[in-house]
Amino acid sequence: MSKISTQKMIDAGKHRVLVYISLIILVITMTSYIFLTTGAHLLIAGFFFGIGYGILQPLFQSFVTGTTPAPKRGVANATYLLSYDIGIGIGSLLMGCLQESIGLQKGFALTAIAYVVGGIIYIVYSDRYYRKLRKAASAEAPEKEVHTLAPYMKKEVYALQEDATVYDAIAFFSEKNISGAPILSKEGTAIGFISDGDIMRYMKEGKLAPMATDSSTLFMEYLWDPDAEFREKINTIMHLNILEIGTKKAITIDADASIQEVCKLLGESGVKKVPVVSDNKVVGILLRSAIINYLEKQYLEQAKTTHQAG
């Protein structure tokens, strides 16, 4: 249970929290053996020991693999697992000796001291050493794009915050020379999208305004030569929050998605641009035109190869 449930937290780098939680569980569990009188207590203590131990074992193995160069990971993992075998062997021998003198209950309870000492060693030395190695590994690692869509997306993201107004959006569109932008939460997660077409549709009171390329042109024409009715309408919505007008559920694509998945999303949604996300953060904007250009080049290359072969 603990190994399965904590995998994502380990991958997310929440090591310290997991170490502290598991050590607290183990110290309390082992101390409780002093009061052991029933079989139910033994089973419950064994259950919680399994949770604490199950967190620590893969956690410290991730320390080993995360700070060791790939060519040396075999030796590092073997050394790590050997230390577990030695610890189990020594622990079994000590418990066998203690059984005759102080009994198993007090013997197990004494192991809580070992977890306390281990926690002190972790705080004073192990955690700092691990972070030092991780920092060094990150500094030496070459910078490279690992995302599938990286070559096709715009990495400069123009986005609006969730508390922006329609006035802010129009001013932003004009400043950046764009027709739409994702709406981000305070945590940087895409929670919506607003475009000039959304504003026009809202102005039309539910009547659909021209979509796609026509929406920007129509929007500019209205602003260039607005009549009194339009001016009154747009003045009344300037203070509205952009989430009241824009799309409240952002259409996004994962940075590791395939070109086929992108084509399917763009075709089904009918949007011209889509935010690219990685770990729930917007890392780029993918334009439909960029994918079309890519597909055109692929087609021309294949056609050229076929023509030459023929």
Side-chain angles (χ1 to χ4, degrees):
M1 278 177 50
S2 55
K3 287 179 180 178
I4 294 173
S5 61
T6 56
Q7 287 179 19
K8 292 185 177 179
M9 290 185 69
I10 292 174
D11 292 338
K14 299 179 179 179
H15 300 107
R16 277 178 284 183
V17 175
L18 290 173
V19 170
Y20 295 146
I21 290 174
S22 59
L23 286 176
I24 290 171
I25 291 174
L26 289 169
V27 169
I28 294 174
T29 299
M30 302 315 292
T31 303
S32 74
Y33 273 96
I34 296 177
F35 311 103
L36 182 66
T37 56
T38 65
H41 185 167
L42 180 65
L43 290 174
I44 294 171
F47 174 79
F48 281 103
F49 176 82
I51 290 178
Y53 183 79
I55 294 174
L56 284 181
Q57 188 183 36
L59 178 60
F60 283 106
Q61 188 160 10
S62 75
F63 287 3
V64 174
T65 56
T67 56
T68 308
K72 299 180 180 179
R73 284 176 187 166
V75 175
N77 279 304
T79 305
Y80 167 76
L81 294 173
L82 178 62
S83 70
Y84 260 95
D85 293 339
I86 293 173
I88 292 171
I90 294 175
S92 300
L93 180 62
L94 287 175
M95 289 306 298
C97 295
L98 290 172
Q99 180 181 1
E100 295 183 358
S101 57
I102 64 174
L104 282 177
Q105 289 176 244
K106 292 180 180 179
F108 278 120
L110 282 174
T111 61
I113 298 175
Y115 289 113
V116 172
V117 173
I120 294 172
I121 295 173
Y122 171 79
I123 295 170
V124 174
Y125 176 74
S126 301
D127 183 44
R128 293 180 182 178
Y129 183 66
Y130 171 73
R131 284 186 287 169
K132 179 182 177 181
L133 291 179
R134 288 287 292 177
K135 186 176 181 180
S138 300
E140 294 176 2
E143 293 185 4
K144 60 179 181 179
E145 291 289 356
V146 296
H147 298 312
T148 306
L149 300 182
Y152 316 106
M153 68 184 187
K154 285 188 174 182
K155 297 175 185 176
E156 187 175 12
V157 181
Y158 295 136
L160 288 160
Q161 296 300 312
E162 59 181 331
D163 58 353
T165 64
V166 174
Y167 175 85
D168 296 328
I170 294 175
F172 190 68
F173 293 165
S174 176
E175 176 189 352
K176 302 299 183 183
N177 193 27
I178 56 177
S179 60
I183 304 171
L184 304 184
S185 66
K186 294 179 181 178
E187 292 75 27
T189 305
I191 58 174
F193 195 93
I194 186 169
S195 67
D196 50 20
D198 293 325
I199 298 174
M200 288 306 306
R201 282 189 289 276
Y202 192 87
M203 296 290 294
K204 286 283 186 177
E205 297 180 340
K207 297 179 181 178
L208 291 178
M211 296 290 286
T213 56
D214 295 334
S215 63
S216 298
T217 304
L218 182 61
F219 187 72
M220 290 301 109
E221 287 178 354
Y222 270 120
L223 290 181
W224 179 258
D225 187 24
D227 55 25
E229 182 183 359
F230 179 84
R231 189 185 300 276
E232 182 181 353
K233 284 183 178 180
I234 200 166
N235 284 337
T236 60
I237 70 168
M238 283 296 187
H239 68 283
L240 294 180
N241 182 272
I242 52 177
L243 286 172
E244 296 183 50
I245 292 179
T247 304
K248 294 182 180 179
K249 185 177 181 182
I251 298 174
T252 61
I253 188 76
D254 190 85
D256 293 320
S258 65
I259 297 296
Q260 290 80 3
E261 291 173 311
V262 174
C263 292
K264 181 180 179 181
L265 176 66
L266 293 175
E268 292 178 351
S269 63
V271 297
K272 294 186 292 181
K273 60 180 69 174
V274 59
V276 181
V277 298
S278 177
D279 295 328
N280 293 324
K281 303 292 183 183
V282 179
V283 296
I285 297 291
L286 188 65
L287 303 179
R288 184 169 60 189
S289 58
I291 298 300
I292 292 175
N293 289 337
Y294 165 77
L295 294 175
E296 287 176 347
K297 289 180 181 179
Q298 289 291 105
Y299 172 77
L300 291 174
E301 288 178 4
Q302 291 177 2
K304 183 179 179 181
T305 302
T306 304
H307 177 72
Q308 290 176 344

